[in-house]
Amino acid sequence: MLGKLDWSAVPIGQPIPLIAGAVVLVAILAVLVWVVVKGHLPYLWDEWITSVDHKRIGVMYTLLAMVMLLRGFSDAIMMRAQQAVAYHSQGYLPPEHYNQIFSAHGTIMIFFVAMPFVIGLMNLVVPLQLGVRDVAFPTLNSVGFWLTATGALLVNISLVVGEFARTGWLPFPPLSEATYSPGVGVDYYLWSLEISGVGTLVAGINLVTTVLKLRTRGMTYLRMPMFCWTTLATNLLIVAAFPILTATLAMLILDRYFGFHFFTNEAGGNMMMFMNLIWAWGHPEVYIVVLPAFGIFSEVVATFSGKPLFGYRSMVLATMAICVVSFMVWLHHFFTMGAGPDVNAIFGIASMIIAVPTGVKIYNWLFTMYAGRVRFATPMLWSIGFMVTFIIGGLTGVLLAVPPADFLLHNSLFLIAHLHNVLIGGTLFGAFAGYTYWFPKAFGFRLHEGLGKAAFWFWLTGFYVAFMPLYVLGFLGMTRRMQHYDVAQWRPWLIAAAFGAVLILIGIVFQIAQLVVSIRQRAELRDRTGDPWHGRSLEWATSSPPPVFNFAIPPDVRGEDAYWAMKSRAREQPLETGEPDYEDIEMPRNSPTGFVCAFFATVMGFALIWHIWWMVAAGLIGAVATFVVFAWRDHDEYVIPAAEVARIDRANLAERRALSYSWSA
Amino acid sequence: MTDATMTYPGSGQLGIADAAAHAGPASKRIVTGYGFWIFILSDMVMFSAFFATYAVLLGKTAGGPSGRELFDLRNVAIETVLLLLSSFSCGLATIAADTRSAKWFHLAMAVTCVLGLGFLAIEGREFASLVARGAGPTRSAFLSAFFTLVGCHGLHVSAGILWLLTMMAQVFAKGFRADILRRVMCFALFWHALDIIWIAVFTVVYLLGSAA
């Protein structure tokens, strides 16, 4: 009846997962009770859960990422604590638990922090920057978000029901095959990623179509803000790379569930094929999470330097070059496979070449700042911290791209230091910069600057204290994923790294405090102009938060930096006082399709993990039926009458005319 | 250098419009079709992963039967004819939808459905007979790759038939509404794309597989 599921799946005898799971459960229940008792449920359902508004969906993606960051960071600090104490001892985490923690840490940080963070920011900002009213497929957008949430939920269910994978964040066979990993851990991994992978693909298709087909009048390709370009590149990579992940994990599923022989030791299976396939997705994935960050830095650096982005066209070229070359370097993840010197040399050179467009970008940001009036607001601090940190990470990456060096450093902590150097210094700093920069656009008030700066400095120093020792440890020969060790030389460095993790923890506490304090002081931090940073692109041309239709009248773009140009014109000639001709606006209706579909996907995923076949069928039929019901509806749009549009826009314009354009020239 | 303004039609403060510039968001039909093309491309990327796998594992028969011993090209030829004909009738259904002829639309879609079911029946029989002969997907890596690649195409055809029936029901119940016509267009794109993939399956799996 319940497949492999019974009471032994609940970790009664293991205090750490039990307490962690219980705390999370109590927290979720407390929030649910609070929502229901306070009567917020109808609001949440109508305004958020069923919303197909790209801004709301973007906010929900970002929120998911930040919550999961807490989970991923808990794993991280547990690992740092373990390695700090596990010298000549077992530490406090038994091996099978430690293995789950490092696997969950990587999986969560990549798939449920980095991905939803960047997809959330792209969702929130890109339609506004393009001057349009929504993304190409609003309901599918909601489906994509909720499927991602399903994946995150399944990973977290594994904390209290069963176990998570012990195979690392990529489940390399034959270890991940049923023979060596008979438990449900790898199955949790596989199904949560298959389901959230569908969500990511949907988001990718949606955003590619949005950028290519939905731009306001006059928004030619070479007038798009840089963030739109990196969004295009990122989502092209998603569309081209995620199907490979889906196929690869499907093959591993077939191996595990039905005894196929893709990657097994026997009957002709080839485990190195898994390495090739997974990294053919995995390397583009690196650029999927870092390119949006490059876009964010481009926006932030230009805005806070008060100058147009230096070398806009070279930046576009560099972005697209990275997009293409990222598909030609995957083999550098396993130089040690034994492909031979010629193959290794080609992939080594390709990996070094990709540093060239990245270098172009760094110089462009530096030259944008050069002779600019740089304002050191929090988003700009993250950007400068990024530039310094990412150069170090990039250079150690070039070092790893040299095959002979890689033979020594492969799977050592040097590699771990490098990848955290680029992922934290690149993607995460970018996400935080974007979060601070666009928060006022999403909610209508700014985040507290002082606490934001404190968070930045603790994150930055914490990062260096936590990860620079890992470079040293790599040179000292320490391999990754060690549950205990007996080399005395390593210990001081590991203690230093643990101390760095504590500094990062303080940074995170400041970030939480920043959010709480900002919400409490939202009246003082209110942004009534819609343009708190003296921005350059169209998202600042509408109110904060924008009305559901974004723009009452579609903007007409006649050059780069569209909004900056509008403001310049407004200074030179008196503001136009005539009333525009408002028209009725059609907007997509809210739909519970995404939520219901994800509910069934969760049921199906859980049932597949535990081999509960009748429940699999029920979930599948439910998901398909949801789509048929959705396809059957007759009214998928509603009309906002011109009078209502006029009322909203007049209020916005009045406020703007009273306050805006007060920036000194 | 840079220049832009809010267009307030009729307000007379526009300046000179850039006639050569981008005209604004595309129509719904174009957006839907374009998005669906992107989906099809992503689907083809997924298939190429299975094709690459098949190519790697082609000779890995683990002492079991190879493609030359297993494949019945006559069967495959019939499958190919059925699928290509179904693409033709699917094309007719598109024309019927364009001319708003419900009768011809339903007829052409029904023919497409029957041809698709015929294809699935032959494929199902082939799979069953292979399993019965001890050449199931668990026999060797080669057979794992074969069943997965061909079966994935078969799953797509099955999903296509479910979609086809839904479209027939929608046109029957609601007529040729604009949104339904967009779905019919996407369905047609999907069905033709499956043909393209089948051509590759036919060539890479069956023709090259029989020669190997």
Side-chain angles (χ1 to χ4, degrees):
Chain A
M1 182 65 183
L2 286 178
K4 291 157 75 173
L5 184 61
D6 57 37
W7 283 109
S8 69
V10 183
I12 304 287
Q14 301 162 329
I16 292 172
L18 194 67
I19 292 168
V23 168
V24 172
L25 268 182
V26 168
I28 291 174
L29 280 179
V31 171
L32 278 182
V33 167
W34 180 78
V35 163
V36 173
V37 169
K38 286 274 190 172
H40 292 317
L41 202 56
Y43 165 77
L44 272 184
W45 179 262
D46 293 334
E47 297 291 325
W48 293 91
I49 293 172
T50 63
S51 177
V52 296
D53 182 338
H54 70 94
K55 303 178 284 295
R56 297 279 165 92
I57 293 173
V59 168
M60 289 193 289
Y61 263 117
T62 314
L63 184 65
L64 173 71
M66 292 199 287
V67 171
M68 294 305 284
L69 177 66
L70 296 180
R71 164 80 211 274
F73 181 76
S74 315
D75 291 336
I77 204 160
M78 284 169 83
M79 286 188 285
R80 282 283 133 256
Q82 166 74 12
Q83 289 198 329
V85 299
Y87 170 63
H88 272 309
S89 83
Q90 283 293 314
Y92 69 103
L93 289 175
E96 71 277 4
H97 190 192
Y98 182 75
N99 293 356
Q100 290 182 47
I101 288 180
F102 68 64
S103 307
H105 169 75
T107 310
I108 287 172
M109 286 302 200
I110 292 288
F111 292 97
F112 301 115
V113 177
M115 292 295 293
F117 220 135
V118 297
I119 292 178
L121 292 174
M122 292 190 285
N123 246 305
L124 171 68
V125 175
V126 164
L128 289 167
Q129 287 195 333
L130 294 173
V132 294
R133 296 205 163 115
D134 211 327
V135 289
F137 306 108
T139 309
L140 274 182
N141 201 12
S142 158
V143 173
F145 166 71
W146 286 107
L147 288 181
T148 307
T150 292
L153 180 62
L154 284 175
V155 170
N156 283 294
I157 288 176
S158 77
L159 201 61
V160 275
V161 186
E163 53 164 8
F164 195 65
R166 302 170 190 182
T167 49
W169 79 280
L170 289 179
F172 291 158
L175 177 60
S176 57
E177 293 283 358
T179 326
Y180 305 104
S181 295
V184 294
V186 177
D187 301 323
Y188 264 112
Y189 175 94
L190 290 170
W191 289 111
S192 44
L193 292 200
E194 287 287 44
I195 292 169
S196 68
V198 173
T200 306
L201 180 66
V202 166
I205 291 170
N206 193 8
L207 284 164
V208 168
T209 313
T210 304
V211 175
L212 291 182
K213 288 292 157 197
L214 294 183
R215 281 167 286 125
T216 188
R217 233 168 82 83
M219 183 64 86
T220 55
Y221 288 123
L222 285 174
R223 290 173 183 173
M224 292 198 301
M226 194 33 86
F227 187 59
C228 294
W229 270 106
T230 58
T231 296
L232 175 63
T234 293
N235 289 287
L236 285 173
L237 286 176
I238 287 178
V239 168
F242 265 78
I244 307 176
L245 177 72
T246 305
T248 310
L249 297 184
M251 288 185 238
L252 186 54
I253 285 170
L254 289 169
D255 274 6
R256 287 180 60 86
Y257 279 71
F258 301 109
F260 282 35
H261 293 290
F262 285 109
F263 312 123
T264 55
N265 283 332
E266 65 280 351
N270 185 343
M271 67 197 75
M272 284 321 292
M273 197 171 61
F274 183 90
M275 305 294 164
N276 275 288
L277 285 169
I278 203 83
W279 286 112
W281 157 80
H283 201 81
E285 165 70 9
V286 172
Y287 290 94
I288 289 171
V289 295
V290 86
L291 279 174
F294 290 171
I296 293 167
F297 295 127
S298 302
E299 303 293 316
V300 167
V301 169
T303 297
F304 290 96
S305 303
K307 280 176 64 192
L309 187 66
F310 181 89
Y312 171 81
R313 289 182 183 222
S314 67
M315 204 69 133
V316 170
L317 263 179
T319 303
M320 298 319 280
I322 291 174
C323 181
V324 173
V325 181
S326 71
F327 266 102
M328 303 177 185
V329 299
W330 79 90
L331 192 128
H332 70 212
H333 293 271
F334 43 96
F335 278 140
T336 52
M337 176 173 79
D342 41 0
V343 173
N344 281 1
I346 286 172
F347 279 92
I349 292 166
S351 310
M352 292 177 213
I353 285 176
I354 211 164
V356 174
T358 316
V360 168
K361 282 169 174 277
I362 296 274
Y363 281 111
N364 281 341
W365 291 315
L366 292 176
F367 285 128
T368 306
M369 287 170 67
Y370 178 73
R373 295 185 178 194
V374 182
R375 286 174 285 149
F376 293 98
T378 320
M380 192 61 190
L381 289 184
W382 287 114
S383 305
I384 295 170
F386 149 79
M387 280 185 242
V388 175
T389 310
F390 198 81
I391 289 172
I392 299 172
L395 289 177
T396 57
V398 173
L399 186 55
L400 281 167
V402 181
D406 183 78
F407 270 65
L408 290 174
L409 297 169
H410 186 80
N411 265 356
S412 74
L413 285 190
F414 186 91
L415 166 80
I416 303 302
H418 160 70
L419 75 91
H420 285 86
N421 205 159
V422 286
L423 280 171
I424 295 179
T427 303
L428 205 58
F429 283 13
F432 291 154
Y435 161 66
T436 327
Y437 183 57
W438 284 308
F439 188 91
K441 184 46 66 184
F443 293 104
F445 58 96
R446 277 173 288 119
L447 287 167
H448 192 281
E449 274 287 298
L451 288 168
K453 284 180 176 162
F456 164 75
W457 286 110
F458 273 100
W459 259 100
L460 189 77
T461 46
F463 165 78
Y464 280 95
V465 177
F467 289 98
M468 292 302 130
L470 301 201
Y471 281 121
V472 179
L473 284 164
F475 283 131
L476 292 175
M478 183 170 179
T479 52
R480 68 198 293 194
R481 295 170 177 165
M482 294 182 83
Q483 185 256 346
H484 66 277
Y485 57 96
D486 48 13
V487 181
Q489 231 186 336
W490 294 349
R491 192 149 192 227
W493 299 103
L494 287 166
I495 291 172
F499 178 63
V502 172
L503 291 180
I504 292 178
L505 173 67
I506 298 172
I508 291 177
V509 170
F510 271 116
Q511 284 177 308
I512 296 171
Q514 182 197 30
L515 188 59
V516 173
V517 169
S518 307
I519 291 173
R520 294 175 73 101
Q521 302 182 352
R522 60 188 177 281
E524 296 104 277
L525 293 167
R526 177 84 53 204
D527 162 38
R528 292 163 66 211
T529 63
D531 181 21
W533 311 113
H534 201 13
R536 316 182 68 82
S537 41
L538 285 176
E539 75 267 35
W540 309 110
T542 183
S543 59
S544 299
V548 64
F549 45 80
N550 293 350
F551 300 95
I553 304 286
D556 184 12
V557 175
R558 285 193 248 146
E560 291 164 32
D561 285 344
Y563 185 50
W564 184 271
M566 280 181 206
K567 288 189 285 190
S568 306
R569 286 172 64 88
R571 257 203 312 275
E572 285 157 16
Q573 47 186 286
L575 261 176
E576 187 257 321
T577 45
E579 178 94 329
D581 293 337
Y582 293 108
E583 285 171 6
D584 293 356
I585 295 177
E586 278 189 350
M587 292 302 293
R589 245 173 222 282
N590 283 357
S591 165
T593 308
F595 186 77
V596 176
C597 181
F599 169 78
F600 285 118
T602 310
V603 169
M604 190 176 77
F606 186 79
L608 280 162
I609 289 159
W610 291 99
H611 297 229
I612 312 171
W613 303 118
W614 61 268
M615 210 198 272
V616 174
L620 185 63
I621 292 169
V624 174
T626 310
F627 270 99
V628 175
V629 169
F630 170 67
W632 217 262
R633 66 185 189 165
D634 288 323
H635 305 288
D636 53 359
E637 289 190 327
Y638 69 102
V639 173
I640 304 171
E644 174 71 3
V645 176
R647 190 187 63 74
I648 295 170
D649 197 45
R650 271 181 211 132
N652 173 21
L653 281 179
E655 204 145 17
R656 227 156 232 268
R657 281 174 187 157
L659 290 165
S660 187
Y661 313 119
S662 58
W663 293 94
S664 58
Chain B
M1 173 201 69
T2 58
D3 195 12
T5 181
M6 287 279 200
T7 312
Y8 288 157
S11 66
Q13 192 257 326
L14 278 176
I16 309 118
D18 185 352
H22 179 67
S27 71
K28 267 188 192 164
R29 186 174 177 281
I30 290 187
V31 169
T32 309
Y34 197 89
F36 200 75
W37 265 113
I38 307 265
F39 164 73
I40 287 177
L41 289 179
S42 78
D43 213 30
M44 290 198 172
V45 173
M46 188 183 77
F47 268 106
S48 39
F50 288 125
F51 273 109
T53 304
Y54 178 82
V56 169
L57 299 178
L58 183 55
K60 303 292 190 299
T61 53
S66 69
R68 183 201 288 276
E69 297 154 55
L70 294 174
F71 297 152
D72 177 2
L73 283 185
R74 200 181 61 91
N75 252 354
V76 183
I78 298 173
E79 281 180 288
T80 308
V81 170
L82 288 178
L83 211 54
L84 291 184
L85 281 178
S86 83
S87 236
F88 178 69
S89 61
C90 178
L92 291 181
T94 306
I95 296 173
D98 284 346
T99 58
R100 308 290 188 274
S101 163
K103 188 180 68 181
W104 284 104
F105 174 80
H106 283 116
L107 182 66
M109 289 290 262
V111 171
T112 311
C113 179
V114 169
L115 290 168
L117 286 174
F119 169 87
L120 283 179
I122 296 176
E123 186 162 274
R125 212 183 51 182
E126 182 197 13
F127 279 13
S129 87
L130 286 178
V131 173
R133 279 194 281 163
T138 56
R139 174 64 190 83
S140 68
F142 157 67
L143 283 163
S144 296
F146 165 79
F147 273 91
T148 306
L149 173 55
V150 180
C152 185
H153 178 268
L155 270 182
H156 274 72
V157 175
S158 314
I161 285 175
L162 284 181
W163 189 0
L164 180 153
L165 294 173
T166 314
M167 288 330 298
M168 285 177 76
Q170 286 213 315
V171 170
F172 178 76
K174 295 170 186 295
F176 293 111
R177 235 167 43 187
D179 55 343
I180 291 175
L181 282 173
R182 289 199 294 272
R183 285 175 207 152
V184 169
M185 171 182 72
C186 290
F187 166 75
L189 286 175
F190 183 71
W191 197 259
H192 296 311
L194 291 185
D195 249 18
I196 297 173
I197 288 165
W198 178 257
I199 301 296
V201 169
F202 178 71
T203 315
V204 173
V205 175
Y206 289 107
L207 287 186
L208 294 179
S210 311

